[in-house]
Structures are given as C-alpha cells and as structure tokens.
Amino acid sequence: MSHPSPIDQQPAWQALDAHAREMRDVHLRELFQDATAAGHERYTLYSRRAAGLTLDLSKQRWSDETHTRLLALAREAGVPEAISRLLAGERVNQSEDRPALHTALRLPADAHLEVEGQNLVPAVHETLDRMEAMVDKFLAGQWRGATGKAISDVVNLGVGGSDLGPLMVTHALADYRPDGVHEINVHFASTMDGSQLADYLTRLNPETTLFVLSSKSFTTIDTLSNARTARDWLLGRLVHNDHEEPHAIDRALVMRQHFIGVSASPGKMAEWGIAPANQLEFWEWVGGRYSLWGAIGLPIALMVGMPNFRALLGGAHAMDRHFQEAPLEDNLPVLLGLAGIWNVNFLDIRAHSILPYDGRLEYFASYLEQLEMESNGKSVTNEGEMTAYSTCPVLWGQLGPNAQHAFYQLLHQGTQSVECDFIAPLRRYDRVENDDTRAHLKAQHRLTLANCFAQSRLLMLGDDAIEDDGPRPSHKRYRGNQPSSTVLLDRLTPHTLGALIALYEHKVFVQATIWDINPFDQWGVELGKQIAGETERILGSREGLETMDDSSRGLIEALWDAEDQASKEAATSSAGQS
Ligand code: F6P
C-alpha cells in the first residue's frame, strides 16, 4: 500500500487538481442541464447496482472527465492491487504488522482462505457453530440462571466496536425476530459513568439477566468498570449460603450461568472469571470496529436467530465479491470512495453527513462515525510522513426526517459545504398483517421517501427546485450545489444490511489506499487512556496536583471542593438521624 512518492505529487492527482479549478465554479444544476443537452441522463450514467443496493452518484459535483480522472487516480494509487492484498490476508495493517481479515468472517463454510500456511475458514465456522449452539439454547428457554429461571434479558457490556455494530444492527433488524421462540430482550450499556447500566439494574431481574462482556482487548476500562458493577449486583442479589434453603447458590454457579465473554484474549477472560465454556474467541486480525461479523455479533444473533445472522454475513460476502470482481468503474465501494476523495481533496468539502430515511437505521450514523473517523482520521502516511492533503472529513449524522427539523438549516443556507449520504429502503411494511395499518404505514413510508428525494434535489438545485415565483429576499434563497449520494436498499433485510455495512467498510479502505494511510490502527486514542489513568490516580490520592497545568488544577480542585461538600452534608445528615 505504499506509493513511490506522495500521492498528491502523482500525475493523476495533479491532473485532478487542475481539473478541479475548472469545476469549482460549476453548479450542479448546470451539470444536469449539460447532460440533458447532450442527450444523457446523469442517473443512468452514474448509478450502479450490487447485492440488493442501488448507488446513485449523479448528484455528485462531477462530470465524465472528473469520473475518468478519479478512476485514473484509483489505478495510480494501486487500488486494485490493494483490494487483492486485503482479501488475500496480507499484512495490510502495517503499524501492527497483521492482516485485516473481517472479510474472512463472512466466507462461506466451503471457502478456503490460506493465510500464512493456514486455512482460516474452519476456525471461523467453528466459532459460528459455537455461537449457534448458545443461541439455540437461549431461544429454547434452556439457558437458565442460577435459580433455575430461563434467561430473558441479555445486557451487552462493550464500547466502540464492541458496542456500536451490534447496537446498530439489532435496531435495524428488530423486525426479524424469529417467531415461536423464547424471546430474549437485548440491551446495551457502554458508558463508563454507569448511567445506562444503573438504569438496567433498577429494572431487570437478576435471576433472569445475563451479561455479555464484549471486549477485543479485555482491558478497556469503560467495559471492565461496568462489568465489575454488574458482577457485584448479581453476586449480591443471588449468592446465599443459607442452610435452610434447599440449594445454596455459589459464586461459581452465578458466574457460569450469568456471564459470557467475547474477546481476542482468552487468558484475560479466564482471569476475570468467565467460565471456559462461556468464552467466545476471535482473532487479533479482526479490527474492533470491523468485528460485528463474528462472536461480537452474539447479541444480534440472540435477537434475530442464527439463520438471519448468517444472512447478514451472506450480504456482506456478496459485497466482498463485488468489491473483488467488479471493474473499478462499476465498483460501488470504489465509486463511493472516489466521490469522497473528490469532495475532500479537490472541492474542499470537509464535512459529511449520513442521513438514513428509515427509523430502523437510527444508529447507523453513530456506527459510521467510528468506522470512518477512527479508521481514516489520520495524518501520517504508511511511510511515516505527514500528509500534505486532507484525509477523513468530519462525519456525523442523524435520521434524515428528524435532522430536517434540526440541522438541515445549515445544509441549505449555512456557510459550510457538506457532502450528504441519503439512505433508504424502497419497499417496506409488506409483512404487516392488518390491511388498514399496512396501508397507513406504507403511506408513511412513501411520505418519507418523498422527503428523502426532495431534500437531495433541493440541496442540488437550490431555488431552481421550484417553479420561479418571482424574486425572493436573500434570507429565503437556497444556493443548492451541495453534493450527495443516495443508497437505496431494495428492502432492509439482513442480507442488504450486511451489504450496506460492507459497502462502507470497503469505501473506507479505498480512501485509505489513496491517502496512503493505515485504516486498521487507532494510535490516536491511546494517549488519552494513559493520561486519564494518571488523572484518576491524582483525583483519588490527592497527590501530584503540581504536575498539572493550571486549567486542569482548577477543574480538579473544583471536584475536590464538591466532594468535601458532599462528605460534610452526609456527616451532618447522619448526625441528625442519630
Ligand atoms: O479506544 C478505542 C477502541 O480501542 C476501539 O478501537 C475499540 O472498538 C474500542 O476501543 C473497544 O475496545 P475493546 O473491544 O478492546 O474493549
């Protein structure tokens, strides 16, 4: 993945730079007019289909020439070779010297992927089979808590990649709960302050609650501090050695029946007290934010059942094959990645908004925030040089219809240019049984799509999106010319969702290849963890304040004052009671 000289010094980049100077003042409206005048339809020119998805890139601010030059850039940056290296399991994660093989997690059982002398597929499917055995037991009501009652609530304790993927997918596929099984309610607690967990602990029954500790490293303090609180809660409520009781419940029984661990570190899981039979392992060569496809996906499988989980993998695999086999000019992840490169590096558009028009995709933007910004928020190349060009844009999002009432004002009339991704399913509510309700819900879906299509059109055309009704005052004007992509899913199913996620994973890889950065490490989060640890020691010991800057000193002293005040109040109130 390395370039002979920086990519921005290469001919294809330089040619794009020159071309961008001509394109910068061209409005999207003109691009559409020009295409029509030449007898073309931009939608036909710039839309592609794969794996149940349609990607429309016609509202990007590009022309045929741009497109051709971007494809040349992809070739010059070695994108086709990089795709082959990624999928073959070469050590593309250079700073950590290992492959990035999330695609291996979704290979079918009869595939063969030999990496450094070992076929990885059997181990992947062995884990899936172990997951399946566990899931079947839960869904049959056979996984029982220490008092013999069937587990009905599972709380996933994890953060980042050990939370966001399963959280996003369980919401997206809530319609796919299997019928006729013992229902498992899946919950997620990630925040280190314990607020989500505290809420569950007041509502859930310890006898029927199980915790999944999800952590690739099994060292993440956020997850471990929630896990400690959960363990104390369960042990405090369930363990008793009362000889009057017919069955004494001991700690080992609680640990065995109420905790599952998912990690790449079996030693640390065992040390923490996860029973060997309840440990699900994955591999160092799966990045945290790319890990929902294996054991980290257990909460997904618990909710939708293993056949649907396997369908999710099938959709992602279909996108992997498309990524591997389709020519660059028809390759969805390549084209989506190039659109982003064009906006960031040549049109100076450094903000990107993700706007799903389907309530089930509520967490999709949060998921992509980690996938894109933790992967490509880098400024050092694979050769250790500072990049002289921009990399990942600031990316954020929200359900489109709700965002219309929140930040679309800025998209339409603010001073920032923003690239937008609109995402929506074409068909919805086919399976609603009641005719009336189905008709109403289908009408709501049509209304939602009308808004989705209207917004991308308005962002593109500005004032020209409506018939001219005379001059408008400037505060009512819309400039348009905001580029967007639209991804349409035939339906939102496990298969198309798998394909959609893989589309973005590969888009990130294409961009990283062109920017010559490593999308699979995250050194930028390490120092913060170290400094937080040191700060916590100072807060607890009240020693070492002098090593701090004066702003941090002020904040720490404010906390100590508050703690002292709380102790005084507690002392006064207990003196009053005695
Ligand atoms: O701190 C960032 C990070 O390492 C992410 O990359 C990762 O997804 C998250 O923390 C959680 O890590 P783990 O799964 O090891 O607990």
Side-chain angles (χ1 to χ4, degrees), residues 96-168:
E96 295 172 321
D97 192 26
R98 59 190 183 216
L101 271 170
H102 40 288
T103 49
L105 300 180
R106 49 232 194 186
L107 282 171
D110 58 1
H112 184 100
L113 178 66
E114 193 146 319
V115 175
E116 297 169 8
Q118 202 189 342
N119 179 14
L120 301 182
V121 181
V124 165
H125 280 269
E126 209 175 288
T127 302
L128 288 173
D129 293 344
R130 282 196 62 213
M131 278 172 74
E132 181 148 22
M134 284 181 172
V135 170
D136 287 351
K137 201 167 165 187
F138 278 97
L139 298 187
Q142 292 302 324
W143 191 298
R144 296 183 185 280
T147 61
K149 293 189 181 155
I151 294 293
S152 57
D153 290 276
V154 170
V155 184
N156 187 75
L157 303 179
V159 70
S162 300
D163 169 70
L164 289 166
L167 173 73
M168 182 271 284

Side-chain angles (χ1 to χ4, degrees), residues 226-483:
N226 274 330
R228 245 189 322 262
T229 305
R231 185 173 57 189
D232 282 357
W233 177 70
L234 279 177
L235 294 175
R237 297 277 195 297
L238 296 178
V239 173
H240 60 82
N241 295 309
D242 185 345
H243 297 299
E244 309 274 299
E245 290 273 339
H247 305 291
I249 295 176
D250 66 9
R251 182 188 166 97
L253 182 65
V254 173
M255 294 307 292
R256 206 164 52 241
Q257 301 308 111
H258 293 267
F259 285 99
I260 291 176
V262 183
S263 178
S265 175
K268 292 205 173 73
M269 281 196 275
E271 222 171 89
W272 197 86
I274 304 285
N278 295 359
Q279 296 177 9
L280 286 171
E281 252 184 85
F282 65 108
W283 302 271
E284 285 296 347
W285 42 258
V286 180
R289 55 193 171 274
Y290 297 86
S291 64
L292 70 88
W293 314 102
I296 290 286
L298 182 67
I300 304 170
L302 283 172
M303 204 185 77
V304 300
M306 217 48 201
N308 282 323
F309 186 73
R310 289 187 194 271
L312 180 81
L313 303 185
H317 179 63
M319 184 54 71
D320 297 341
R321 295 200 56 170
H322 168 81
F323 188 46
Q324 183 169 29
E325 291 164 7
L328 292 188
E329 53 273 26
D330 294 325
N331 197 307
L332 270 61
V334 171
L335 295 173
L336 195 60
L338 289 176
I341 295 272
W342 174 239
N343 287 315
V344 169
N345 297 112
F346 300 99
L347 298 183
D348 296 330
I349 300 175
R350 307 219 178 91
H352 192 151
S353 195
I354 304 297
L355 304 162
Y357 276 70
D358 184 321
R360 295 170 294 180
L361 293 174
E362 184 177 355
Y363 294 104
F364 192 69
S366 318
Y367 169 78
L368 280 192
E369 283 165 14
Q370 186 197 14
L371 179 66
E372 300 232 8
M373 295 197 281
E374 198 173 72
S375 297
N376 281 347
K378 316 270 166 75
S379 48
V380 171
T381 66
N382 287 304
E383 290 72 39
E385 303 294 331
M386 291 298 292
T387 61
Y389 42 84
S390 290
T391 60
C392 189
V394 172
L395 183 133
W396 90 107
Q398 166 65 280
L399 288 177
N402 293 2
Q404 287 179 195
H405 302 280
F407 59 77
Y408 273 43
Q409 168 64 41
L410 178 146
L411 301 183
H412 288 299
Q413 291 187 318
T415 53
Q416 294 293 323
S417 285
V418 181
E419 178 183 9
C420 297
D421 286 9
F422 292 89
I423 303 168
L426 286 169
R427 283 177 64 173
R428 203 178 165 186
Y429 296 126
D430 294 337
R431 297 196 300 181
V432 174
E433 274 173 23
N434 180 288
D435 289 352
D436 266 0
T437 314
R438 187 173 60 248
H440 281 302
L441 289 172
K442 276 183 170 284
Q444 285 194 254
H445 178 231
R446 198 177 314 112
L447 171 71
T448 307
L449 290 187
N451 274 269
C452 177
F453 301 161
Q455 288 294 341
S456 68
R457 182 160 176 266
L458 182 55
L459 284 169
M460 163 180 96
L461 293 174
D463 288 330
D464 286 358
I466 50 160
E467 290 283 300
D468 194 4
D469 55 356
R472 293 152 166 267
S474 47
H475 64 274
K476 289 192 176 173
R477 291 215 191 106
Y478 291 71
R479 68 174 185 283
N481 208 26
Q482 297 268 45

Side-chain angles (χ1 to χ4, degrees), residues 159-162 215-217 220 289 370 374 522 525 529:
V159 70
S162 300
S215 175
K216 180 179 172 184
S217 59
T220 305
R289 55 193 171 274
Q370 186 197 14
E374 198 173 72
Q522 57 283 323
V525 301
K529 293 180 191 172

